[in-house]
Amino acid sequence: MASFASTSIPTLLHFSSYPKIHSPNFKYQFSTSTIINHHNIVSKFNTQQNQQHLNKVQTRTWNWKGYSIRYQCSGNHGPALVLIHGFGANSDHWRKNISVLAESHRVYSIDLIGYGYSDKPNPREIGDGSFYTFETWATQLNEFCLDVVKDEAFFICNSIGGVVGLQAAVIAPNICRGILLLNISLRMLHIKKQPWFARPFIKSFQRLLRDTAAGKFFFKAVATKESVRNILSQCYHDTSKVTDELVQIILSPGLEPGAAEVFLEFICYSGGPLPEDLLPLVKCPVLIGWGDKDPWEPIEMGRNYSTFDSVEDFIVLPNVGHCPQDEAPHLVNPLVESFVARHAKSSSTTSTVN
């Protein structure tokens, strides 16, 4: 899911102005034929899925710079995929995708440092600069590909994870073969997108959360089953998908030591890159999928990203909210399959997950 902050600060501070990329015409026509063709792929994919056994998913740890990083993997042939979660989530948010995609891919899902069951070092104890930044996570992602995947990979990203994937592709373009962005975060709390008159208030509010006991009280109020369920019910269009299992998947890692400090650090992070800063710099193909019922990242704004040369298409996922991979895996899994198939070399390296 996106950050818990997506439902807290923006709820208090509704920003009506967004610096859109002005273009009277989008590169692609978002017609019903695109959705119909996509549903044809979905039907074929679901038939194949019903005829096969799901691959076993293994959970492992990776030592990165002295920190324990948790990841999951499945599959032993085909192109490598790395699944990147959003803020407040973890690799379990891809549980409906890993096994299915592993039928024809080597699939890895990583917990970014600070999230899930990866280590959560206290940012106040790590030097003078910021630690939980997109540069940190992008570096982690690229080194994961080098040390664990040992291959180039396609990045499949949701929400804030999309900014991580784009940043990683810009830093090391030789590693990423393509990026699929699912409801990428628009980063509406970024300093560049804050109305000038609201900036002092936002900065003061962030300092209050980060530097006083108010932040811990705020986190405790958010880190409960009831709050997590309510937040998920806002961002999922089909609320029947907000199960007890999903609530526990999101909540449990948030109760671990250090989770509060990471949470507060990130919601006070108004710098770093924006998607529109990174997309012009990306050399690999980018496909964007967007749940059209996302209340946090409106599709009307997301469509602006289709104007960048690196973006090959913009796919509307009908009646889906902010987390398509979990709410509508029957749409997302075949979308991943078709995107990777278009760009994977016929002589893709085959290797075994040890």
Side-chain angles (χ1 to χ4, degrees), residues 284-302:
C284 64
V286 177
L287 177 65
I288 299 178
W290 213 284
D292 66 351
K293 296 297 190 287
D294 187 342
W296 296 347
E297 315 290 355
I299 191 170
E300 291 77 14
M301 294 181 177

Side-chain angles (χ1 to χ4, degrees), residues 90-293:
N90 58 79
S91 60
D92 289 331
H93 211 190
W94 299 93
R95 69 199 183 285
K96 299 177 183 178
N97 317 102
I98 300 174
S99 293
V100 176
L101 295 173
E103 290 296 331
S104 52
H105 305 85
R106 290 170 288 136
V107 184
Y108 302 83
S109 182
I110 187 171
D111 286 3
L112 297 173
I113 189 166
Y115 299 107
Y117 297 96
S118 289
D119 280 349
K120 301 170 180 62
N122 190 324
R124 302 297 185 90
E125 300 174 359
I126 306 175
D128 297 327
S130 298
F131 180 74
Y132 293 106
T133 67
F134 292 108
E135 289 76 12
T136 297
W137 290 313
T139 300
Q140 176 191 357
L141 178 57
N142 284 331
E143 293 185 5
F144 178 77
C145 290
L146 293 174
D147 295 348
V148 178
V149 180
K150 299 184 185 301
D151 199 358
E152 301 171 343
F154 289 89
F155 297 160
I156 315 301
C157 321
N158 176 228
S159 190
I160 286 295
V163 186
V164 175
L166 289 175
Q167 178 70 81
V170 170
I171 292 175
N174 59 312
I175 291 177
C176 183
R177 301 178 68 180
I179 307 176
L180 197 162
L181 303 173
L182 298 169
N183 291 63
I184 187 172
S185 172
L186 299 168
R187 300 207 64 203
M188 294 304 293
L189 281 178
H190 193 282
I191 189 66
K192 293 181 181 179
K193 295 185 177 180
Q194 297 174 14
W196 65 269
F197 55 84
R199 289 176 185 174
F201 171 72
I202 296 172
K203 188 173 183 179
S204 296
F205 186 64
Q206 289 175 324
R207 284 177 176 172
L208 177 70
L209 291 179
R210 186 176 184 271
D211 300 332
T212 73
K216 293 294 181 67
F217 285 114
F218 176 68
F219 179 78
K220 287 181 180 179
V222 171
T224 67
K225 288 183 179 179
E226 294 76 15
S227 292
V228 171
R229 184 178 297 278
N230 288 337
I231 292 169
L232 290 167
S233 295
Q234 289 178 32
C235 71
Y236 279 57
H237 180 64
D238 182 357
T239 56
S240 70
K241 300 298 177 65
V242 181
T243 62
D244 291 341
E245 177 194 30
L246 176 61
V247 170
Q248 205 60 41
I249 281 173
I250 300 299
L251 177 62
S252 292
L255 300 178
E256 292 198 333
E261 287 76 13
V262 177
F263 170 83
L264 295 171
E265 184 77 8
F266 188 79
I267 64 175
C268 296
Y269 177 39
S270 296
L274 292 165
E276 51 264 42
D277 297 331
L278 298 171
L279 281 167
L281 306 177
V282 173
K283 304 302 182 183
C284 64
V286 177
L287 177 65
I288 299 178
W290 213 284
D292 66 351
K293 296 297 190 287

